[in-house]
Amino acid sequence: MMGTHPRKVFLVTLSFAFFAAGQTASEKLIPRTSLDGKFLDLDFPAVHIGTAEYEEGPTGATVFYFPNRVTAAVDVRGGGPATVFTDILRLGSEKPIVSAISFAGGSAYGLAAAGGVAAEIRDTKTGTPEWNNIAVVPGAIIYDLAPRRFNKVTPDEALGRAALRAARPGRFLLGAHGAGRFAVQGSYFGTPTYSGQGGAFHQAGLAKVAVFTVVNARGAIVDRSGKVLRCGNDPSAAPCGFIADRLRSVIDRQIASAAPKSDELTRNTTITLVVINCKLTFAELQRLAVQVHTSMARAIQPFHTDADGDTLFAVSTNEVNDPRMSAVNLGVLASEVAWDAVLSSLPVLDPVDKGTLPDDASFFAACAGRYAFAEGVTLTVIHEQDRIWAEADGNSPLYGFRLKQKEELVLNTSGDLIVKSQPANRLRFIKNSSGHVTGLILNPGHWPVSANRLP
Amino acid sequence: MMGTHPRKVFLVTLSFAFFAAGQTASEKLIPRTSLDGKFLDLDFPAVHIGTAEYEEGPTGATVFYFPNRVTAAVDVRGGGPATVFTDILRLGSEKPIVSAISFAGGSAYGLAAAGGVAAEIRDTKTGTPEWNNIAVVPGAIIYDLAPRRFNKVTPDEALGRAALRAARPGRFLLGAHGAGRFAVQGSYFGTPTYSGQGGAFHQAGLAKVAVFTVVNARGAIVDRSGKVLRCGNDPSAAPCGFIADRLRSVIDRQIASAAPKSDELTRNTTITLVVINCKLTFAELQRLAVQVHTSMARAIQPFHTDADGDTLFAVSTNEVNDPRMSAVNLGVLASEVAWDAVLSSLPVLDPVDKGTLPDDASFFAACAGRYAFAEGVTLTVIHEQDRIWAEADGNSPLYGFRLKQKEELVLNTSGDLIVKSQPANRLRFIKNSSGHVTGLILNPGHWPVSANRLP
Amino acid sequence: MMGTHPRKVFLVTLSFAFFAAGQTASEKLIPRTSLDGKFLDLDFPAVHIGTAEYEEGPTGATVFYFPNRVTAAVDVRGGGPATVFTDILRLGSEKPIVSAISFAGGSAYGLAAAGGVAAEIRDTKTGTPEWNNIAVVPGAIIYDLAPRRFNKVTPDEALGRAALRAARPGRFLLGAHGAGRFAVQGSYFGTPTYSGQGGAFHQAGLAKVAVFTVVNARGAIVDRSGKVLRCGNDPSAAPCGFIADRLRSVIDRQIASAAPKSDELTRNTTITLVVINCKLTFAELQRLAVQVHTSMARAIQPFHTDADGDTLFAVSTNEVNDPRMSAVNLGVLASEVAWDAVLSSLPVLDPVDKGTLPDDASFFAACAGRYAFAEGVTLTVIHEQDRIWAEADGNSPLYGFRLKQKEELVLNTSGDLIVKSQPANRLRFIKNSSGHVTGLILNPGHWPVSANRLP
Amino acid sequence: MMGTHPRKVFLVTLSFAFFAAGQTASEKLIPRTSLDGKFLDLDFPAVHIGTAEYEEGPTGATVFYFPNRVTAAVDVRGGGPATVFTDILRLGSEKPIVSAISFAGGSAYGLAAAGGVAAEIRDTKTGTPEWNNIAVVPGAIIYDLAPRRFNKVTPDEALGRAALRAARPGRFLLGAHGAGRFAVQGSYFGTPTYSGQGGAFHQAGLAKVAVFTVVNARGAIVDRSGKVLRCGNDPSAAPCGFIADRLRSVIDRQIASAAPKSDELTRNTTITLVVINCKLTFAELQRLAVQVHTSMARAIQPFHTDADGDTLFAVSTNEVNDPRMSAVNLGVLASEVAWDAVLSSLPVLDPVDKGTLPDDASFFAACAGRYAFAEGVTLTVIHEQDRIWAEADGNSPLYGFRLKQKEELVLNTSGDLIVKSQPANRLRFIKNSSGHVTGLILNPGHWPVSANRLP
């Protein structure tokens, strides 16, 4: 059957501007803010949400803008936090000073987005910059760089400005978007799995609680029955079972082994924002931040590891006062909403088909070669005896490819080569106009990573 | 049948020195350190554990002594912490400076136990007090005072000294003992339920992890399947169901109500110690403290509320180095051990029988009257038409009695009067030699609270 | 005599691109990095220093780049800190992770410079962005906005990039440059006085200590004999006397008054970097940061007020180990160097001449009118009876002009009008080609602030 | 002249119960609370001050009791803090929860005094211990143990109780009393010099500010002209000169030397309490704590070293509101009062006379021998050729005696032997009834340290 459409093999349609592997960010990057997907609708006009992405990363930023400034608290608990403007939030002031919160990908570099958000507020929302209208924009980032992707595209001032300009009330984009554009979860268990940004909203009496979280966790996402929700990128894979069993087995394997040196396939960080509309003192808001952040250890296991930079902001718009809801009750409510938010972060996965060997395998020869994602980051494709293998043989693993481990490839119905043992990992080869293979895309679809063929 | 032993009704045998309600602590308090119960056995010679109690509280202290000093980190997350010697643990020193950790009941007053521990180490374990052998004894306490009990007996220097003298390796007393002598859990859900101190131990490779915790939580204890373990003091009561449902229903009831003013039946605090034997840097030990403390939000829900003073110490004896166990793995392992420790804190409850009206109810008349637990804390027992009621009619609720709420009493087979709607709450009346009722004990058994009859 | 060169009065030569009052930052801003002035020479090749400025602010950034990454600690003590990437420095890690420290003007907006520094390091100094070579660039800013200046020009990503590109070892520009381009000190005493950035260096044995500080303090700079160094911008003014007397007189005046509402002429913040070359543990480096920051309370009085965001970073290049210098001695040494650094921050002032009434005062008429620095920020110049006055009559004071307080102006030899009572404050009027006065510059020279004439 | 009263030589009058060297604290210690000396009078009825001492240490405690509870903040900045109940002060609560502040000597052991203070408040000032009347008593201690003194007498529960019972408004005992009973300052410069506790009070408008400080600093006390106030215990010694010179010379000597291993003659810590009567928010009170603590770096140089555990509490009685005094002004005022308080801590010294060789030196022979202050802490007195020397030849230096350094002794007019090179250090020998020398007192007078003669 496969033999009937061999031409399809190299048919490449790129739905985004192709960005050469390892290329430096240029000024031509265009923030994308008209994004489709699944949205959370929320009735919370005091918070405006904007999302902007660079497909060339892919990476992005998510901005929460408060036309009326809010009071804020922060709880930093991870072992590798990257934050901006948090120190002032620890001084106990009761004054609403925060204009926006900025979340971004890009690791340390993504903090630049917060600067863009602040500058855009200054230029479009406020008058003369005087003490009382300075835009205070705390922020945090997630790690989404090598070995996940290898270019230097990270959120910057322009992306932050774009996200702020796009900010509107009422809708939050779920899944692998914005700051969560290239997030993963579950790498503690050996299988980093795409995640994204989640959100949830609940109103109880007059109290409104919204939680937004970018789940880029070393731990796995767990539901209220103790089950791991997703442990791989194959949508048709079997259920993952109980987290308690998985936690135990990691330790058991570790002890059974002789101190394996692990391929760390990812760094992590979960960043979260809780927005409430109830009047709270600073001390109450800080307590709520601590209570909710801690509660998320139910939904993400393990949480706050040394390889996470977990940070949570809690802000209040101070709009209402519902005496039925104590600060502790608000904390409990927000904790449940936070769990829902984490659950909602799982993105729609690219479809997977299992693949077979083609009847006519001759085109394999054209693909064989060495492909570079970045300096020293290579995938070698080997053609032997009508079969084909790929191996990350540089100095870095690749998303889905452990270092120095050969994987057999087979052909799927889309004409991509897929890893036989993990069919969610695919390779699409790119031909130039003269028909020569010049590169490949690892995992074409929503999380593409490109490489150039080496001579 | 009941009628056959009416004499039994006033038969009171006190297994402890009776301590008058509201009495000030005198020098005659004798620390009890030979305590029976269920023990955790652990193979961890580097940690010596001592437990001492004042039955007159009842209250107690639990001390962890390290003959070779340990490195330590602390994570304070609750809204009402009461701690001693924590500031020095935040400075990042790699030197082992901690000689012991002191846990106690008695709220703020119980911090005195840490002073006793330090003094006893000075007097019996070290030479001339010079900089290098000062006994650094960090500590924390739990709240176990009114309206749980009403006297002024709290852990003091003498109790701390006694606990240190009693410290031995290898065994840890589980349940309502030591610092957890009068702990409760679950009051967030309206029913404070006796808890205590729990412990668990695990060895993986060379790594040993022990966790000790005094669970005096506003939240409820939850098992790995999401179920609440105990929600009342009646050992024969029905299972408690899922925590998720209970959390939701609190909020729902709160919103449905018109801002009820609650009888706060308890203040709280969970205090925890993690002991590991692996060499860790200060930064790693601190990360482990944060990771494990956060993980306990799975076992106690809600956790770290404003009404909790939750504090966790992590110490390392720095005895071994097992390269198979990374610091993060140790954190994961310790988190699971911590969950086991929480589960083990639930004490054996006093037996309950449901009670009936006696065939000859005449003795009810002798009990009617007003009883004072402390100034302004009264229970009035009313005899009307052959039936009997009790009501906390002072300015404080009592354990098991909401303020100004009349409860019918019936007679159980032990000759105690029990609350018909909650048979775990019992009243035993005390007669003097001339046969007059002079007082009562609320909940005779392991958690007795005494009152004098008012003229 | 003045009458002989009336034409000179409106002769305006602007040595920089004129930036209209209130104008939004455009992309045409050109960072200036070739800057003249007084330099500190230092023999410390491990630290590269770059300075970049936007004259249109004026404002600037100062960047310290470490080709070999350094260990770092931070001490935040002021009441209004604005910082980036500080949280990770509190976790006690012994790993050198910091690539650069970014200081900038522009208040909150200036944090964007740190993002530019990081991006430039990524693009020019490192390969594929992977965990081990991410550029961690902590930073802090000073307030230099209204009512000091009124445009929206603040340090941004481009300025941070330019400063990094300009970074070289061996020299540090002193005075009103870089992040200290529009710094002031001493406003607590009613007279904000231009300050800038200071630096000092000392080698003792193998130990090298450099301190760099941007003194934008609410307090005044004090020398080792207890005297205030400068208390106004007139270089020929009388000495300022002892700080102890000045501190007492502020309180005395305050109490003697009837709760005066003050014109707050400035917000503040002193940001400091200590660089040492000795190997130190994290705990030692943190102690040194605290010790040195505290010691600066001798050189700046008062220090760490609520209106300061004082922040100090201490970094170590870990190049040498001189056993003669204990960590405490290093702290003492660095504290003395820090004092020297503060003293060196005072900039060269613009020359002042006292001015007189001109023989022919007719040109006063041409100047009369209302001038806007920004929306609502106006200075009205009034011509009456051959004399001339100016008054800040909008809703903001101006640098040197208290709100709603009329000041007489006279003519100096440069053809500027000067405030008779404070001749360091000058106005230069600007004519267009047809001879009409179209605007003015407040304090032409090193700290110019421009206004447009209102119709 | 000396020859005329040789009998006086062994005349020993001990004004206190003699406490054998190295003896363990017994229950017979009697707190002394009727103490004479120089007092600060202050008009601040809301703060009650109690002082209690154990002459057998000597050591002591100073307690500040607030009949109406106060709001409180804490600033911990030293490298070796020993504190109790500080964590709750960091949570930003606006509620007045603090009943007292406890300062004590005894290093870590002295924290027990805080427990005694709390227990005494519970027993004598409050009713049933319920959440709303728990006595919260934060505290801190200073180091005053070996090699300053060698016994195990430290402040305990009983001493804390005694100090609380003695607490009265209006007077504060200055100098070497209470917690400052055996404080020293200036050891950084090689000469630890007796200091004590200081206090100062100022009223400005309605605002009252009192500062109490126990100066046990590694640094030296400096006046407002930059001069060191006291650099030895000889009251007739020459002035000490400028601190700037002394700081420089320490570093210069250190570098000139070949890494001398120093006898650390003392550990340190300065603990301070600021009490104000003005209403302040938590954030304002915290800022004030930071501002005042930092300002003390002027009065104590160096300050906050790694060998100091410097801690400052700021509390407000919230009695008045004087709009003329901003929070910053209050901070400035309190900083000046703090400086005055430090200056007032210097105690009256024991009189010194220079001594000579006696005409009849025969009694020297009787003194020769070895004296033990504690296990391993010995002073050997050697008689050779009609002259006499003493040397600390154990494993610890002594106050005034460097390790293994022989000092010649001469006889003063009181019959004590004094160190010729430092006449403030004296030895008084003790005879039993049969005329045998059985021990000695180092520095009889206000700071006596006793030793037993070894067989």
Side-chain angles (χ1 to χ4, degrees), chain A residues 75 77-79 188 247 251 254-255 257 259 287 290-291 294 297-298 301 303-304 306 324-325 329 332 336, chain B residues 77-79 188 247 251 254-255 257 259 287 290-291 294 297-298 301 303-304 306 324-325 329 332 336:
Chain A
D75 186 50
R77 299 251 211 129
Y188 178 74
L247 287 165
I251 304 286
Q254 196 95 19
I255 293 302
S257 74
R287 300 315 316 151
V290 169
Q291 184 181 341
T294 297
R298 305 175 301 176
Q301 297 188 31
F303 198 40
H304 294 346
D306 187 52
R324 291 169 299 181
M325 292 297 285
N329 281 138
V332 169
E336 296 309 300
Chain B
R77 291 289 166 179
Y188 179 72
L247 287 165
I251 304 286
Q254 195 95 19
I255 293 302
S257 75
R287 298 313 317 148
V290 169
Q291 185 181 339
T294 296
R298 304 175 302 176
Q301 299 190 27
F303 198 40
H304 294 347
D306 187 52
R324 291 168 300 182
M325 290 297 285
N329 281 137
V332 169
E336 295 309 299

Side-chain angles (χ1 to χ4, degrees), chain B residues 320-371:
Chain B
V320 305
N321 197 350
D322 188 330
R324 291 168 300 182
M325 290 297 285
S326 70
V328 168
N329 281 137
L330 272 176
V332 169
L333 175 56
S335 297
E336 295 309 299
V337 177
W339 199 333
D340 292 338
V342 170
L343 298 177
S344 75
S345 70
L346 287 177
V348 177
L349 295 174
D350 295 317
V352 165
D353 66 63
K354 303 290 173 177
T356 56
L357 285 177
D359 357 352
D360 173 8
S362 62
F363 73 93
F364 281 173
C367 300
R370 198 152 186 241
Y371 299 82

Side-chain angles (χ1 to χ4, degrees), chain A residues 45-374:
Chain A
V47 50
H48 295 204
I49 305 159
T51 308
E53 297 174 4
Y54 286 139
E55 270 305 315
E56 294 85 346
T59 191
T62 306
V63 170
F64 306 89
Y65 170 61
F66 309 100
N68 294 311
R69 290 193 285 182
V70 294
T71 51
V74 68
D75 186 50
V76 177
R77 299 251 211 129
T83 56
V84 58
F85 237 129
T86 52
D87 288 323
I88 201 170
L89 305 183
R90 297 188 175 100
L91 302 184
S93 171
E94 309 285 353
K95 290 178 205 149
I97 59 167
V98 168
S99 289
I101 298 285
S102 169
F103 286 170
S107 186
Y109 306 115
L111 291 176
V117 173
E120 190 69 20
I121 295 173
R122 177 195 64 195
D123 290 347
T124 65
K125 311 282 187 185
T126 69
T128 306
E130 54 168 324
W131 180 252
N132 292 312
N133 66 11
I134 300 292
V136 170
V137 183
I141 54 78
I142 68 159
Y143 188 89
D144 63 5
L145 302 175
R148 208 175 296 180
R149 60 190 185 86
F150 298 94
N151 58 54
K152 293 186 170 179
V153 177
T154 58
D156 56 7
E157 207 173 293
L159 195 74
R161 281 182 178 267
L164 192 281
R165 276 194 305 269
R168 301 284 181 278
R171 302 215 314 174
F172 174 77
L173 186 52
L174 300 167
H177 283 292
R181 184 62 185 82
F182 206 146
V184 305
Q185 53 97 11
S187 67
Y188 178 74
F189 303 96
T191 318
T193 301
Y194 298 130
S195 58
Q197 62 183 14
F201 172 78
H202 191 81
Q203 177 155 3
L206 302 177
K208 295 181 179 184
V209 176
V211 179
F212 310 100
T213 183
V214 186
V215 182
N216 190 52
R218 188 130 180 83
I221 295 178
V222 178
D223 70 15
R224 282 186 173 85
S225 67
K227 287 186 188 140
V228 173
L229 236 67
R230 193 178 283 178
C231 50
N233 293 318
D234 181 347
S236 62
C240 307
F242 287 96
I243 185 68
D245 300 331
R246 295 176 76 88
L247 287 165
R248 195 178 313 114
S249 74
V250 168
I251 304 286
D252 289 350
R253 263 185 286 135
Q254 196 95 19
I255 293 302
S257 74
K261 185 136 179 27
S262 69
D263 291 335
E264 284 297 348
L265 286 173
T266 182
R267 288 283 164 161
N268 318 274
T269 282
T270 296
I271 49 182
T272 303
L273 170 65
V274 181
V275 188
I276 56 170
N277 67 343
C278 300
K279 286 190 179 76
L280 290 181
T281 65
F282 167 79
E284 288 169 333
L285 190 59
Q286 182 68 57
R287 300 315 316 151
L288 183 140
V290 169
Q291 184 181 341
V292 177
H293 208 189
T294 297
S295 81
M296 292 173 68
R298 305 175 301 176
I300 300 174
Q301 297 188 31
F303 198 40
H304 294 346
T305 76
D306 187 52
D308 290 292
D310 301 337
T311 298
L312 178 145
F313 295 94
V315 308
S316 173
T317 62
N318 295 299
E319 295 171 279
V320 305
N321 197 350
D322 188 330
R324 291 169 299 181
M325 292 297 285
S326 69
V328 169
N329 281 138
L330 272 176
V332 169
L333 175 56
S335 297
E336 296 309 300
V337 178
W339 199 333
D340 293 337
V342 171
L343 298 176
S344 75
S345 71
L346 287 177
V348 176
L349 295 173
D350 295 317
V352 166
D353 65 65
K354 303 289 172 179
T356 58
L357 286 177
D359 358 354
D360 172 9
S362 64
F363 72 95
F364 281 174
C367 300
R370 199 151 184 240
Y371 299 80
F373 290 81

Side-chain angles (χ1 to χ4, degrees), chain C residues 98-402:
Chain C
V98 168
S99 290
I101 298 285
S102 169
F103 286 170
S107 187
Y109 306 115
L111 291 175
V117 172
E120 189 70 19
I121 294 172
R122 177 195 63 195
D123 290 346
T124 64
K125 313 279 187 185
T126 69
T128 305
E130 54 169 324
W131 180 252
N132 291 311
N133 65 11
I134 300 292
V136 171
V137 183
I141 53 79
I142 68 159
Y143 188 90
D144 63 5
L145 303 175
R148 208 175 295 180
R149 60 191 187 84
F150 298 95
N151 59 56
K152 292 184 170 182
V153 177
T154 57
D156 55 9
E157 207 172 293
L159 196 72
R161 282 181 177 267
L164 193 281
R165 276 194 304 269
R168 301 284 180 280
R171 301 215 315 173
F172 175 76
L173 185 52
L174 299 168
H177 282 293
R181 183 61 185 81
F182 206 146
V184 304
Q185 52 99 12
S187 67
Y188 179 72
F189 303 96
T191 318
T193 300
Y194 297 130
S195 58
Q197 62 183 16
F201 172 76
H202 191 83
Q203 177 156 3
L206 301 178
K208 295 180 179 185
V209 176
V211 179
F212 310 101
T213 183
V214 186
V215 182
N216 190 50
R218 187 130 180 83
I221 295 177
V222 178
D223 70 15
R224 283 184 172 86
S225 67
K227 286 185 187 143
V228 174
L229 237 66
R230 195 180 280 177
C231 50
N233 293 318
D234 182 346
S236 62
C240 305
F242 286 96
I243 184 68
D245 299 332
R246 293 176 76 87
L247 287 165
R248 195 177 314 113
S249 75
V250 168
I251 304 286
D252 289 350
R253 263 184 288 135
Q254 195 97 17
I255 293 302
S257 77
K261 184 132 180 30
S262 69
D263 290 337
E264 284 296 347
L265 286 173
T266 182
R267 288 283 163 163
N268 319 274
T269 281
T270 295
I271 50 182
T272 303
L273 170 65
V274 181
V275 188
I276 57 171
N277 66 341
C278 300
K279 285 191 180 74
L280 290 181
T281 65
F282 168 78
E284 288 170 332
L285 190 60
Q286 183 67 57
R287 299 315 316 149
L288 184 140
V290 169
Q291 183 181 340
V292 177
H293 209 189
T294 297
S295 82
M296 292 173 68
R298 305 175 301 176
I300 300 174
Q301 298 189 29
F303 198 40
H304 293 348
T305 76
D306 186 53
D308 290 292
D310 302 337
T311 297
L312 178 145
F313 295 94
V315 308
S316 172
T317 61
N318 295 299
E319 296 170 280
V320 303
N321 197 351
D322 188 332
R324 292 169 297 182
M325 292 296 287
S326 70
V328 169
N329 281 139
L330 272 176
V332 169
L333 175 57
S335 296
E336 296 308 299
V337 177
W339 200 332
D340 293 337
V342 170
L343 297 177
S344 76
S345 71
L346 287 177
V348 176
L349 295 173
D350 295 317
V352 165
D353 66 62
K354 303 291 172 174
T356 56
L357 286 178
D359 359 352
D360 174 9
S362 64
F363 74 93
F364 281 174
C367 300
R370 199 152 184 238
Y371 298 82
F373 290 80
E375 198 180 318
V377 184
T378 53
L379 186 78
T380 293
V381 177
I382 304 151
H383 179 211
E384 281 177 359
Q385 299 178 308
D386 285 354
R387 292 167 71 187
I388 193 162
W389 287 266
E391 178 180 334
D393 61 349
N395 53 28
S396 167
L398 296 172
Y399 194 93
F401 288 87
R402 293 178 177 277

